[in-house]
Amino acid sequence: MNKQKFIDKFMAAFVLLAMFKIIGIVAQLFHESFWSVVGTLAIFLIVAFIFLMVIASLKDKEQNRQNSRRAAAGGGNFYLENSLFDRIRSKYEDLAQKYLAEKDYRKAAKVYMNLLQDYYRGAKTLEEGGFYNEAAAVYLKKLKSKSDAANCYEKAKQYKKAIDLYKEMEQKEKVGDLYKEINDLKNAHVYYQMVADDYTINNQMVKASLVYRKKMEKPEDAQKVLLKGWEEDKDAFNCLNNYFASIFDTKKLETEIQAMYEKTPAYKKLTYLEAMKYEFKKDPKLQPVTRKIAYEIIAEKVESRSEIVNELKYFNPKDEVILKDISRFKTGRNKMFNH
């Protein structure tokens, strides 16, 4: 700092002396020729300019040194301020924890939101304390989270507000659930139908069937969409499997298994065979029909797919002889279907 002041004073003094020198040179006009005076003045001005440039350079260097020192000091202040900020923040955190320990969720939430500017933890604290409407307002206004707000309104049994938000988010099934919750079945079914239609359009027939069965309580429509999926090869195996799983009367299921098989085209019979494995294990009463169908499919496909004989073991789990027959068939020493 002292060096900077010295340079400033030296420059000021030099400028003052230069002014006097210029006046003196101009005064020489009274007893010397004009051009002689002009020459002397020009030389002096050049020298003065160079001298001023040197002084200015020295001043700039000193200024840079001072700025560096200030920056270093400023860095210290920055860390000091950060440390102070962290300590204050820690105090606020402790205060919030104190309120939480006392189950004073509103005060804890105010500390989070007003002092720590943490609206998410503030909203979560209100939600934890059961202040669902207040939490929803924070989620909605401060955090722009419609899903969290809708969830809070639902907990608060503010179903209309929750429904409106779920509609905005196009969560149709959730809208249907809440309409069902308030016994508005007409609107519930409107939205459930939208969901089922969306699933059907996307070839998700099993999911569509679950909406009909579980949400709308329309088992006939559920079976229709599964049958459609099987016939149109839209997740065919799962549709067939779920279709059979939804028939609880064994006699009726036996009849349906036989009837469905008779309408099954050749290219889908291997898929049908896979389904028969499940039905065979389901009930001993189903074993005769499923085994018969399995034998027919295997006999039909064995010439083009010799490995299909391995499927016989699924329909004769306790028959040790069948394994030997399969082995003999593979080695060409016997014909399995004479067994």
Side-chain angles (χ1 to χ4, degrees):
M1 180 63 72
N2 291 335
K3 189 173 181 180
Q4 180 68 33
K5 286 182 178 179
F6 174 78
I7 293 172
D8 289 341
K9 287 179 180 179
F10 186 85
M11 181 176 282
F14 176 78
V15 171
L16 186 63
L17 290 172
M19 288 175 64
F20 285 128
K21 180 67 177 176
I22 291 170
I23 292 170
I25 292 173
V26 172
Q28 292 177 10
L29 286 170
F30 294 102
H31 52 83
E32 290 185 18
S33 68
F34 173 79
W35 291 112
S36 175
V37 172
V38 169
T40 302
L41 182 60
I43 293 170
F44 175 76
L45 289 175
I46 291 170
V47 172
F49 176 77
I50 293 170
F51 197 76
L52 282 172
M53 290 295 291
V54 171
I55 293 174
S57 176
L58 289 172
K59 185 177 180 180
D60 287 340
K61 286 181 180 179
E62 185 60 23
Q63 185 68 43
N64 288 336
R65 284 198 200 96
Q66 288 185 13
N67 287 340
S68 297
R69 285 196 292 270
R70 285 196 194 101
N77 290 336
F78 172 77
Y79 290 119
L80 184 63
E81 289 170 5
N82 266 3
S83 176
L84 182 61
F85 175 79
D86 288 340
R87 277 184 286 171
I88 293 171
R89 184 177 182 85
S90 179
K91 292 291 184 184
Y92 290 156
E93 291 281 1
D94 292 342
L95 181 60
Q97 290 302 314
K98 173 180 173 293
Y99 286 138
L100 286 174
E102 296 170 356
K103 304 294 183 183
D104 197 338
Y105 295 97
R106 273 203 176 102
K107 284 185 179 179
K110 285 180 180 178
V111 172
Y112 284 131
M113 292 187 290
N114 298 336
L115 300 179
L116 293 169
Q117 298 295 300
D118 191 335
Y119 291 106
Y120 181 77
R121 279 202 290 174
K124 278 294 179 188
T125 299
L126 288 169
E127 187 177 352
E128 184 182 345
F131 302 104
Y132 300 122
N133 283 305
E134 293 174 43
V138 177
Y139 280 129
L140 208 54
K141 295 176 183 178
K142 297 296 184 179
L143 299 169
K144 311 301 180 186
S145 176
K146 292 180 181 179
S147 58
D148 286 320
N151 183 51
C152 282
Y153 281 134
E154 188 178 348
K155 289 179 179 178
K157 300 189 184 302
Q158 297 285 327
Y159 295 119
K160 183 64 172 66
K161 291 181 179 179
I163 285 170
D164 289 342
L165 287 175
Y166 283 125
K167 282 181 179 179
E168 289 179 25
M169 293 183 286
E170 296 186 354
Q171 293 189 23
K172 299 169 188 174
E173 188 167 350
K174 194 66 181 177
V175 172
D177 290 343
L178 293 185
Y179 272 129
K180 192 174 184 179
E181 185 70 27
I182 59 176
N183 293 316
D184 186 347
L185 296 182
K186 181 180 178 181
N187 276 316
H189 281 201
V190 167
Y191 278 87
Y192 285 146
Q193 187 63 57
M194 290 181 190
V195 176
D197 290 343
D198 288 342
Y199 282 138
T200 302
I201 290 169
N202 292 315
N203 298 331
Q204 295 175 290
M205 302 306 200
V206 174
K207 287 185 176 181
S209 74
L210 291 174
V211 174
Y212 283 121
R213 193 180 310 282
K214 303 293 185 181
K215 303 286 187 176
M216 303 174 74
E217 298 179 6
K218 292 182 176 181
E220 298 85 2
D221 289 337
Q223 290 296 81
K224 285 179 183 177
V225 78
L226 289 171
L227 194 58
K228 179 182 174 70
W230 163 249
E231 291 173 348
E232 297 180 3
D233 288 330
K234 296 173 179 177
D235 195 14
F237 173 77
N238 287 321
C239 285
L240 184 63
N241 200 26
N242 278 272
Y243 181 84
F244 289 147
S246 301
I247 301 174
F248 303 105
D249 182 273
T250 305
K251 192 65 180 174
K252 183 179 178 182
L253 178 55
E254 181 183 5
T255 303
E256 194 68 16
I257 287 173
Q258 183 63 45
M260 291 275 288
Y261 172 66
E262 290 171 1
K263 294 185 289 185
T264 299
Y267 77 94
K268 291 169 75 171
K269 285 188 176 178
L270 291 178
T271 304
Y272 207 89
L273 179 62
E274 286 298 312
M276 291 303 96
K277 293 179 185 178
Y278 287 87
E279 302 311 309
F280 180 85
K281 294 178 181 179
K282 189 182 293 182
D283 191 319
K285 294 178 182 177
L286 296 174
Q287 290 182 0
V289 68
T290 52
R291 184 185 289 117
K292 173 179 172 292
I293 289 171
Y295 281 5
E296 289 183 14
I297 295 172
I298 292 168
E300 182 180 322
K301 302 293 182 180
V302 71
E303 289 188 12
S304 58
R305 300 173 62 98
S306 61
E307 72 278 6
I308 200 172
V309 296
N310 291 316
E311 304 293 341
L312 286 171
K313 61 188 176 184
Y314 291 102
F315 300 93
N316 300 276
K318 297 178 181 179
D319 190 345
E320 295 180 4
V321 177
I322 197 74
L323 297 177
K324 296 178 182 179
D325 287 344
I326 292 171
S327 179
R328 282 197 296 271
F329 176 84
K330 286 182 175 179
T331 56
R333 287 177 295 182
N334 203 353
K335 287 190 176 180
M336 186 173 42
F337 291 101
N338 291 329
H339 172 69

